[in-house]
């Protein structure tokens, strides 16, 4: 077999099931191998950012890496923004980038560029097998590195001549590769004990959880800790995956703006952190701090991302109150609203109708503030945020989530400005017939930038007349965009319309897009 | 004034007239300055690759740099592919990327990433002013570096606190900054003489021209050289800007595949190169050479990109035949074809109807092979190719060209696979009411990859059944996409329909899109 087939066979044998691809000439032997090797499903995106965002969504739901397949440096460039988001979500990805043969590169052909340098900006390992016989080792290593807690982007650059070189003997039946286990490091009992003493001190405390602690076991433990110690619990602002809904504890998310976070943590003498980092400002503002822990408060890192945060929280709860039970949300739906859609009414419609076991992608930016409260008593679901701040991941995330969990409804809630970056994700959703309901919150502006303008004091002029912050001319017809990509589309301006269209979208198989027209929030 | 205003004033005073932007929070003071400072037109793109491709098109037609405005590392990532193409076109660009304040970066907020590393992959200078007082110097330096022959991408990273810091006194009326001149180096008379001796030897010779030699003066000189020496002249395969049409010499382009180029240069004992590099294979193939100069032939570099190729060619022609005149193409139009659109008939329709002084963007990939012959006798026009091989630059290039030359018709000829990468360019065309006629050659496949499959011998299976090479399911409705972005759209399946729609698009102001449905070429 050739190097390309060795790569695909190795990944398949090691349990990689999907490759999100946008290939070119240098990747054609890999395209051939995807046909020839059973076990790895090839999913085509028409833009590399769709492929990388889908790999992020897949990793979050499947709990294991997918591969990507990107075309040279420019393809990696197109995929970089959502790889950045994936890195911030700690999603494991085997990021395969094709390259010219090594002997061809010194001739500096048009597509030659510095792939290594760009890949290194993702702070994960970068490998380049030198020959076809070395592919299997590098593939297994990249997979192991991707899985290193908390998960990272491992890039594998495949020169075309390594892909096409023949005569590799490794791989095949009964030769299942061993991917070295990378166990999640436990937190020392001494540190758990130390934090327990802090919480027993009676001084006001806050507990900020994120990462793996967003899953049910972490939420239960955090609730028990709150009950035993009086600590206020908060979720990190943008979490890779949080379980939410009836039967689970529900905690407020930390706000986006520094003054919001400082108000939430006000009075705390101790801030305990588990599964994430101590809160910092998303953006900097003149005369606002970067570090968002109240003056005089002590930070205690119980578990970093990559450590066993759930184990540490559970041990801490057991220490503080061994027999305690978590406080969970009762099943409850918001009353179905009527009349025009607003930032208040649209989340209520979603909360009233959210189906069981949904996966909710939240890239609503300025429009989604009411969503957590509106869905707190809905049937249990997962919420995936876009973690890196790079707009345009929602609809790709939905692809990956739907492929990882084909039996679950996926709901992508998208700000209009975000949706435009990766529009062709709709085409992949249609091609793969994925059960995704995309709801585009269309306020026809970069509303978040108008909000930020006020926060920054960015200029004497009025952000509402600034041409660069206005998306109203021409108005974008998202229903038309959806249909052009083969996705059923409809437009809702009232709560009644959204309810009817959302219900229908969930009932019918395949992807749907609902353009929800809302007034600008800022 | 603050640092942002100092930057905009400096650029405006130094002659920068346009800023292609997709800003975020860290760039809001620059957005404010774009409002406050007269002289720099802010053009909004909804995706950074639209902004960077537009800056490339602007530079090629205006002959001077535009600025870009990108949001942090992920924005640079989205813009990287078309910056790569711009680098290969030797287009000068002042590439402005916003960043967090320096003091905020150590906190590693979600959008923190390694902007410098990614920018350095473009092989141009990267500057980061340390304070507002230093902005003016860095802006002038970046502009001078961008203009360094043959032109390059000069990146200017603007930390938000440098943008918002107040109290800068420089700039203003009467304080026009001096951008150090970077003259194009002349070729030594000795080298011209040496090449003249080669061409006088009577041995078979070929002349490959590109870069600035694609403009009329270079074409005239090359034609005179051919007449005097018998050398066969070829244009480089993908040139940044070539003048073409009636009254100009017309030369064949070098082919895309190695065997095509070697056939074209077959028999040559000498290959003289001016304005570009010696031909190399675009992609590598097993058992094909990278260097595409026939065995035993000598390469003579008369002028590299960045040297005065037109001056050198003119001097060479004067040496060889001082009184000679170039051979130019007579005005002639192809007969208007009838019946179904094919790769043969669609270029004939364009050739029959091409208006005077058009700017033709050619990103047709596998569908455009017949275009040069069909337009050789049409009214004089400029042809801009996508030079770097990174798909998705055509419609953004058209934006920049139309803004640089608002009185000229711009015609973007686009392969379907390419158009999808930067679809939202249509929105910017509509918003700015640009006279761009986009013709999408829709063959519903990655036809180029099927062609390449045959060349590579990429696998035993049939590329026509390979799911990753097929764009037919679902079929993309480009007319619907255009209308959704506010652009008039129509579909043509016959030559008659294309002729009627193309004529109408040219007659009406503002952008149009014609989806030309053609059979797959491979």
């Amino acid at each position: 077999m050739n190097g390309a087939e060795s790569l695909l066979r190795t990944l398949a044998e090691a349990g990689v099931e999907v490759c999100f691809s946008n290939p070119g000439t240098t990747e054609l032997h890999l395209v051939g191998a995807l046909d020839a090797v059973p076990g790895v499903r090839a999913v085509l995106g028409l833009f590399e950012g769709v492929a990388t965002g889908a790999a992020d969504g897949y990793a979050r739901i499947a709990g294991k890496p997918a591969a990507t397949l990107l075309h040279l440096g420019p393809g990696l460039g197109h995929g970089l923004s959502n790889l950045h988001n994936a890195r911030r979500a700690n999603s494991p990805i085997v990021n395969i980038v094709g390259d010219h043969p090594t002997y061809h590169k010194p001739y500096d052909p048009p597509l030659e560029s510095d792939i290594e340098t760009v890949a290194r900006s993702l702070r994960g390992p970068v490998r380049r097998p030198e020959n076809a016989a070395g592919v299997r080792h590098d593939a297994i290593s990249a997979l192991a590195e991707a899985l290193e807690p908390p998960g990272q982007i491992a890039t594998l650059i495949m020169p075309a001549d390594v892909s096409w070189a023949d005569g590799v003997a490794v791989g095949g039946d009964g030769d299942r590769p061993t991917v070295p286990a990378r166990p999640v490091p436990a937190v020392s009992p001494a540190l758990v004990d130390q934090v327990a003493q802090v919480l027993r001190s009676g001084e006001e405390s806050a507990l900020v959880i994120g990462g793996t602690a967003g899953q049910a076991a972490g939420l239960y433990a955090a609730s028990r800790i709150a009950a035993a110690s009086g600590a206020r619990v908060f979720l990190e602002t943008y979490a890779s995956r949080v379980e939410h809904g009836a039967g689970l504890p529900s905690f407020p998310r930390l706000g986006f703006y520094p003054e919001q976070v400082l108000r939430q943590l006000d009075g705390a003498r101790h801030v305990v952190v588990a599964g994430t980092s101590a809160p910092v400002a998303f953006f900097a503002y003149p005369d606002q701090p970067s570090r968002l822990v109240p003056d005089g408060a002590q930070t205690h890192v119980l578990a970093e991302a990559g450590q066993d945060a759930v184990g540490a929280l559970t041990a801490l709860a057991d220490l503080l109150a061994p027999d305690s039970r978590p406080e969970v949300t009762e099943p409850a739906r918001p009353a179905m609203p009527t009349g025009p859609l607003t930032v208040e009414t649209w989340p209520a419609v979603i909360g009233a109708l959210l189906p069981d076991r949904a996966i909710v992608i939240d890239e609503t930016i300025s429009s989604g503030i009411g969503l957590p409260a509106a869905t707190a008593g809905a049937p249990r679901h997962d919420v995936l945020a876009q973690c890196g701040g790079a707009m345009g991941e929602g609809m790709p995330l939905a692809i990956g989530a739907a492929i990882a969990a084909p039996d679950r409804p996926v709901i992508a809630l998208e700000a209009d400005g975000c949706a435009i970056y990766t529009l062709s994700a709709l085409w992949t959703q249609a091609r793969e017939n994925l059960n995704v309901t995309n709801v585009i919150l269309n306020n026809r502006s970069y509303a978040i930038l108008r909000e930020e303008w006020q926060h920054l004091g960015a200029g004497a002029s009025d952000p509402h007349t600034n041409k660069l912050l206005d998306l109203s001319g021409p108005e974008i017809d998202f229903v038309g965009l959806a249909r052009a990509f083969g996705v059923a589309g409809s437009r809702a301006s009232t709560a009644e319309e959204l309810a009817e269209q959302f219900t229908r979208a969930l009932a019918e198989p395949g992807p749907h897009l609902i353009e929800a027209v809302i007034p600008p929030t800022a």
Side-chain angles (χ1 to χ4, degrees), chain A:
Chain A
M1 73 182 78
N2 63 24
E5 204 175 320
S6 172
L7 173 59
L8 267 297
R9 278 198 193 279
T10 302
L11 292 176
E13 289 163 8
V16 173
E17 295 182 36
V18 188
C19 179
F20 296 100
S21 314
N22 187 228
T25 296
T26 39
E27 295 76 43
L28 280 182
H29 286 83
L30 292 159
V31 169
L34 277 162
D35 243 18
V37 175
V40 181
R41 174 177 177 183
V43 177
L44 180 61
L46 300 183
F47 170 67
E48 293 84 352
V50 172
T52 56
D56 183 7
Y58 178 89
R60 297 197 208 179
I61 296 299
K64 66 179 192 175
T68 60
L69 181 57
L70 311 179
H71 183 44
L72 294 148
L76 177 60
H78 275 159
L80 202 63
S81 171
N82 280 338
L83 287 170
H84 167 90
N85 286 328
R87 172 168 81 82
R88 291 299 183 179
N90 296 316
S91 291
I93 295 177
V94 177
N95 182 40
I96 302 170
V97 186
D99 196 5
H100 293 299
T102 310
Y103 67 78
H104 192 56
K105 291 168 73 69
Y107 294 94
D108 198 29
L111 273 163
E112 169 63 12
S113 73
D114 191 345
I115 301 174
E116 264 90 350
T117 288
V118 175
R120 288 226 175 79
S121 77
L122 293 164
R123 302 186 196 174
V126 180
R127 292 177 171 271
R128 175 193 283 274
E130 282 180 20
N131 50 52
V135 166
R136 188 172 174 85
H137 172 266
D138 276 348
I140 293 168
S141 303
L143 187 54
E145 286 161 349
L147 286 164
E148 199 161 316
Q152 58 182 343
I153 318 292
T155 299
L156 187 63
I157 302 173
M158 282 290 285
D161 56 339
V162 172
S163 282
W164 76 49
D166 250 320
V168 187
V170 295
D173 295 337
D175 182 28
R176 200 175 176 82
T178 310
V179 179
R182 311 266 178 152
V184 179
V187 171
S188 78
L191 177 57
V192 175
D193 199 58
Q194 194 184 312
V195 173
Q197 286 175 37
V198 167
L199 294 180
R200 281 192 193 114
S201 70
E203 296 187 323
E204 219 173 306
S205 300
L207 171 62
V208 177
I209 61 172
T212 52
Q215 296 185 34
L219 303 175
Y220 290 141
S223 175
R224 292 171 57 208
I225 293 165
S229 67
R232 285 169 285 155
V233 181
F234 299 94
L235 286 168
E236 64 182 334
T237 313
Y238 299 112
S240 61
R241 181 177 179 178
V242 173
E243 291 193 80
H244 194 232
L248 292 166
S250 180
F251 304 114
R253 287 193 298 185
L254 286 178
F256 175 80
Y257 289 108
E259 68 273 20
Q260 293 171 336
V261 177
L262 290 173
R263 206 178 310 126
Q264 288 171 302
L265 300 181
D266 189 36
R269 299 288 309 279
H270 302 278
V271 177
V272 177
V273 178
T276 181
S277 314
V280 302
F282 200 94
F283 289 115
Y285 305 89
D287 310 318
Q288 292 263 32
S290 293
R291 187 172 163 274
L292 300 183
V293 172
D295 283 342
Q298 264 192 292
T299 303
H300 309 269
V301 179
L302 176 65
E304 294 178 346
Q307 291 184 300
D308 182 7
V310 171
L313 287 168
T314 307
L316 181 59
D318 288 346
L319 267 185
L320 292 171
D323 300 323
S324 64
R325 299 188 62 83
E327 187 185 331
V328 301
T329 311
E330 294 299 314
R333 300 276 202 174
M336 179 65 78
T338 57
L341 285 178
T342 65
V343 290
E344 288 81 28
T345 58
W346 81 257
V349 175
I350 303 299
L353 297 173
L354 197 71
D356 200 28
R357 299 187 67 238
I359 298 169
V360 177
I361 317 280
D362 181 357
E363 198 180 36
T364 52
I365 314 290
S366 62
S367 308
I369 195 84
L371 189 69
T375 51
R380 194 159 150 171
H381 56 282
D382 282 288
V383 181
L384 317 189
Q386 176 258 74
C387 300
M391 305 212 307
E393 199 184 23
M395 298 194 298
L397 279 176
I399 293 170
I403 284 175
D407 59 331
R408 297 179 63 180
V410 177
I411 296 152
L413 305 171
E414 278 289 299
D416 53 342
C418 295
I420 295 296
Y421 286 86
T422 44
L423 263 188
S424 68
L426 291 167
W427 183 82
T428 301
Q429 290 180 6
R431 182 177 173 91
E432 301 289 337
N433 200 31
L434 304 176
N435 294 323
V436 177
T437 301
N438 305 279
V439 181
I440 310 294
L441 287 318
N442 189 358
N443 58 23
R444 295 172 179 159
S445 68
Y446 280 137
I448 182 66
L449 293 185
R450 287 184 179 154
E451 263 185 49
E452 292 277 6
W453 184 286
Q454 318 287 1
H455 269 78
L456 280 162
S461 61
D462 181 350
H464 293 88
T465 61
N466 190 300
K467 206 181 150 199
L468 286 183
L469 305 184
D470 171 34
L471 303 186
S472 69
E475 280 181 12
I476 296 170
D477 170 9
F478 283 93
V479 177
L481 291 172
R483 290 177 184 162
F485 280 121
V487 170
S490 59
R491 183 174 293 109
S493 300
T494 64
E496 292 87 339
E497 287 166 356
L498 178 58
E500 189 270 321
Q501 292 168 23
F502 189 68
T503 304
R504 183 155 35 89
L506 292 171
E508 290 173 1
H512 293 72
L513 181 145
I514 302 168
E515 178 179 346
V517 180
I518 56 172
T521 46

